[in-house]
Amino acid sequence: MTLYEQWISSAYFRNGQVNNQLWDEYLPKEQKIYEDILINKLTELKGTVKELAERYDMPENQIVGFVDGINETQDPMYKLEELESDTEIDIKIDFEKLYRKMVEYKADHLYSLPQWKMIFSQEKLDELYKEQKRSTTIVNKEAKVGRNDPCPCGSGKKYKKCCGANL
C-alpha cells in the first residue's frame, strides 16, 4: 500500500465518512507546518518524505497528506501515488496563491492564522480574500424582463399580457 493510499484509508472510512479522530490529531500538526512556513517566510520546503516527517514529528503518510493539501499550488503537481519515504520533495511557496487556495477550500483555521500578518498587511489580506471569493461567485448577468417590456417570445405583446400573465 502506498503512502498516499495509507493517508486516504486513515483519513476516510470505506463509506466515505471522515475519520474525525485522525483529523483531530492531524490538523494541529498541519497548522504548525504552516506557522513555520509563515514565521520563517519560507519560499520552499525541501527534503525527503521521511526527513519532513521527522522534522514535523508526523508519520510519513501524514506528510503525504500535507503534500496533498498544498499540491494544487505546485507546478508541476506531485503524483501523490508515487511518493515514497525517499522521494525528494521541493515545495515552492507562493504566498498569494497559498492564501487564495486556503480561502477557496474554506480552511479558515489556516487563512486566519495571525502569522499571515507577517507576510501581508491586513489590507492586502482583505483584498486577496475578496478577490478569491469573487472569483468563485456566480453572477447571473442576464437582464430580467420588465412587466411592460415586449415579451421575449416574439408575440409583440407586453410581457405582463403574454408569458408573464401566468406568473
Side-chain angles (χ1 to χ4, degrees):
M1 182 180 278
T2 69
L3 289 171
Y4 182 66
E5 290 169 335
Q6 289 174 29
W7 164 248
I8 294 298
S9 68
S10 66
Y12 304 98
F13 295 118
R14 289 180 193 217
N15 62 5
Q17 295 292 320
V18 173
N19 180 348
N20 289 323
Q21 183 178 353
L22 175 110
W23 286 100
D24 288 345
E25 174 191 329
Y26 171 76
L27 291 176
K29 293 176 182 180
E30 177 191 43
Q31 184 172 322
K32 285 192 184 304
I33 296 173
Y34 283 113
E35 288 171 349
D36 180 47
I37 289 169
L38 297 172
I39 288 168
N40 295 303
K41 298 180 180 169
L42 300 176
T43 55
E44 68 179 358
L45 197 57
K46 286 178 90 168
T48 64
V49 170
K50 182 178 181 176
E51 290 168 347
L52 292 174
E54 290 170 357
R55 178 173 170 184
Y56 291 108
D57 192 28
M58 297 172 83
E60 291 178 12
N61 68 330
Q62 288 185 11
I63 285 295
V64 171
F66 171 78
V67 174
D68 184 16
I70 200 169
N71 206 20
E72 284 192 34
T73 67
Q74 301 303 295
D75 188 27
M77 290 175 49
Y78 285 94
K79 294 178 180 164
L80 299 170
E81 300 81 10
E82 296 176 7
L83 296 181
E84 297 178 359
S85 293
D86 60 349
T87 304
E88 275 293 327
I89 302 289
D90 186 5
I91 297 172
K92 304 294 185 207
I93 309 291
D94 176 333
F95 291 111
E96 283 192 20
K97 189 186 280 188
L98 183 59
Y99 185 81
R100 288 178 187 191
K101 278 293 174 192
M102 289 175 175
V103 172
E104 179 183 341
Y105 292 144
K106 298 180 175 122
D108 57 332
H109 68 289
L110 297 176
Y111 71 73
S112 64
L113 289 171
Q115 291 83 359
W116 278 109
K117 292 180 182 161
M118 298 169 68
I119 306 296
F120 299 118
S121 67
Q122 185 61 51
E123 293 76 23
K124 181 68 173 177
L125 290 171
D126 293 343
E127 176 189 325
L128 292 170
Y129 181 88
K130 288 175 186 170
E131 284 176 10
Q132 180 57 44
K133 287 295 188 181
R134 237 181 277 122
S135 74
T136 57
T137 303
I138 299 171
V139 179
N140 185 357
K141 296 189 178 197
E142 199 173 292
K144 287 190 173 187
V145 179
R147 47 186 270 113
N148 289 316
D149 292 340
C151 191
C153 75
S155 68
K157 297 180 184 179
K158 287 186 177 185
Y159 179 69
K160 70 181 178 185
K161 296 282 187 181
C162 190
C163 294
N166 299 330
L167 298 178

